Amino acid sequence: MPANLRTCLFAIALCLGASLPSAAADAAEPTIGQQLEGVLFWPQAERDAQFRRMYERFPSDRATHGTQVHALPAGKPLVVEGSDEAAQLAGYMAKYHVAGVMVLQDGRVRLERYALGFGPTQRWISFSVAKSVTSVLLGIALQQGDIRSMNDRLGRYIPELRGSAYADVTVEQLLTMTSGVRWNEDYDDAKSDVAQMYLGACVDGEAHVLSYLKKLPRQWPAGTHWNYNTAETDLLGILVQRATHRSLAAYLSETVWKPYGMASDAYWIKDECDGSDTGGSGLSATLGDYARLGQFMLDGGRVAGRPVIAKAWLAGATRRHAATGAPDRGYGFLWWTDADGSYAAIGIFGQMVYVDPARKLVIAQVASWPAATSKELVAGRRAFVAAVKRAVDAERKP
């Protein structure tokens, strides 16, 4: 049986929960990488049930929490869209398969709801929210001197990239997704790069993305064109791990999770080839700790009043560096930016940590959207965020 056909059969079987013929099953079992790619095509019931168990299904590293917990005291209940908030919120959550929503203002919980049998002690996969967390960890490594400068070339930290299109790409260009290397991030296309990057066999003990990315050609001059690329944030994760000599989970625990006071352990999925944590996805945490992450950002990346992130990172992380095709949206250092000064960590299937400094507001959401993304789904989430902002603004009116 040709390898590509066998891979397709495995993906179909994984998505549908079917059994392969014994001869095909004996030929090769689905690899961890094939199973991860199959997640993009899971049916709805699988997403609803399994997004809370991803760290149990896939090899993961644990980011342990500490003994001190950053309290999230109850605030005045927030009334969204008039008096029928409960019914409207329930309708929004049901339509978009939202498992949990938490709204903080001034560090207090104004709104907290759960659905799909999900609860406050359970964890949910964040997908690309992890990209923004990896970026934060790079900012901390820059502050601690493990990474010298955002102008450094990637080859300095990852020698395997020397001789590839990535050799002279800078850390900052990787942070802004302006490497200029060719990449296709179409989640609905089984032949796209994002659907293929974990499928190959392990080569020389390298992470999947290293083997995949170093073969890709340049399409634009570095720094001139924004192109969304999940594999490049896996690459950024490798850079942070090489520079700090720690896994992303261990470094997250040491620098944020314990000192800031997250309430529960988090987990980060590992690459099957080299055991590194996948910087572009794979972080699972509780809804409350996602909200605390947003509050950490709103607090200026401070722990006990002391900044732990480099000034150079803080100055650029949530500022628009690249246009994204939407007139009111931009891209910073792996954080999405809005024209009003708000910014967000956003993941496929509806994950979000949204920070609005002007309103001292944090909105955390976990979900299992019916598709990885679409204009309709994104519009629904943005409408909900807008409704929360209107509710906050309405309280200020005399």
Side-chain angles (χ1 to χ4, degrees):
M1 181 185 296
N4 60 346
L5 178 57
R6 186 167 61 243
T7 297
C8 292
L9 286 174
F10 286 143
I12 293 168
L14 181 66
C15 297
L16 300 180
S19 298
L20 289 173
S22 58
D26 291 341
E29 292 298 325
T31 66
I32 296 297
Q34 289 168 347
Q35 293 177 53
L36 282 169
E37 296 289 12
V39 171
L40 291 172
F41 309 103
W42 274 356
Q44 187 65 52
E46 189 90 2
R47 288 193 292 270
D48 289 349
Q50 299 302 321
F51 279 1
R52 73 198 70 190
R53 296 185 58 242
M54 296 290 280
Y55 66 98
E56 297 173 339
R57 290 191 61 151
F58 297 100
S60 301
D61 283 328
R62 181 170 67 171
T64 57
H65 71 293
T67 56
Q68 300 296 318
V69 175
H70 185 104
L72 297 178
K76 178 184 176 182
L78 183 66
V79 179
V80 180
E81 294 287 353
S83 61
D84 197 21
E85 173 267 330
Q88 292 191 18
L89 182 59
Y92 166 75
M93 294 179 74
K95 180 177 180 180
Y96 295 101
H97 294 262
V98 175
V101 170
M102 183 178 288
V103 176
L104 306 181
Q105 189 182 29
D106 291 316
R108 294 181 174 271
V109 180
R110 302 289 313 273
L111 177 68
E112 183 177 6
R113 295 288 187 278
Y114 297 92
L116 302 178
F118 182 66
T121 63
Q122 294 177 294
R123 299 168 185 86
W124 197 272
I125 189 74
S126 65
F127 292 104
S128 292
V129 169
K131 292 178 171 62
S132 304
V133 178
T134 300
S135 179
V136 168
L137 294 180
L138 183 137
I140 295 172
L142 192 66
Q143 171 77 352
Q144 295 186 348
D146 293 312
I147 294 173
R148 186 187 65 179
S149 167
M150 287 193 291
N151 293 321
D152 283 348
R153 301 294 193 263
L154 299 185
R156 174 185 179 91
Y157 301 95
I158 310 174
E160 297 94 322
L161 294 176
R162 294 170 187 169
S164 77
Y166 282 97
D168 292 326
V169 172
T170 68
V171 173
E172 183 166 346
Q173 287 164 350
L174 202 63
L175 278 171
T176 55
M177 293 197 180
T178 58
S179 72
V181 177
R182 190 190 70 194
W183 181 263
N184 178 0
E185 185 93 3
D186 186 345
Y187 303 111
D188 295 324
D189 181 0
K191 295 183 179 180
S192 68
D193 292 304
V194 75
Q196 293 287 320
M197 66 182 194
Y198 296 137
L199 292 183
C202 297
V203 179
D204 297 330
E206 292 180 344
H208 274 299
V209 293
L210 269 182
S211 300
Y212 194 92
L213 289 177
K214 67 185 186 180
K215 298 177 182 177
L216 297 182
R218 174 161 302 284
Q219 188 168 4
W220 304 279
T224 65
H225 185 90
W226 180 80
N227 187 38
Y228 194 83
N229 185 329
T230 287
E232 288 188 349
T233 39
D234 278 6
L235 198 60
L236 193 74
I238 292 170
L239 188 157
V240 171
Q241 290 169 98
R242 295 275 185 94
T244 64
H245 307 288
R246 297 169 180 83
S247 69
L248 293 179
Y251 198 54
L252 178 66
S253 174
E254 175 186 320
T255 61
V256 179
W257 231 245
K258 285 181 178 179
Y260 191 73
M262 302 307 185
S264 302
D265 293 345
Y267 290 85
W268 213 313
I269 290 175
K270 300 191 294 184
D271 183 87
E272 67 180 316
C273 296
D274 74 341
S276 64
D277 296 338
T278 56
S281 186
L283 178 66
S284 290
T286 65
L287 180 66
D289 282 344
Y290 286 130
R292 287 181 178 89
L293 178 65
Q295 190 66 42
F296 171 73
M297 290 294 295
L298 189 60
D299 292 344
R302 295 174 179 270
V303 172
R306 179 178 61 87
V308 298
I309 308 178
K311 290 183 180 179
W313 187 93
L314 286 169
T318 59
R319 177 174 58 84
R320 173 175 169 159
H321 289 268
T324 64
D328 58 342
R329 304 204 72 191
Y331 205 68
F333 293 163
L334 306 183
W335 287 82
W336 296 89
T337 66
D338 278 350
D340 69 352
S342 301
Y343 54 91
I346 291 175
I348 57 174
F349 295 110
Q351 324 318 317
M352 176 183 69
V353 176
Y354 189 90
V355 182
D356 181 349
R359 296 174 177 84
K360 299 180 180 179
L361 191 68
V362 172
I363 307 172
Q365 173 178 295
V366 294
S368 56
W369 278 356
T373 190
S374 73
K375 290 183 179 180
E376 178 187 356
L377 292 166
V378 171
R381 180 175 56 198
R382 289 182 68 81
F384 172 69
V385 170
V388 171
K389 290 185 173 185
R390 286 195 301 271
V392 170
D393 291 344
E395 294 178 337
R396 300 177 177 177
K397 294 181 180 178

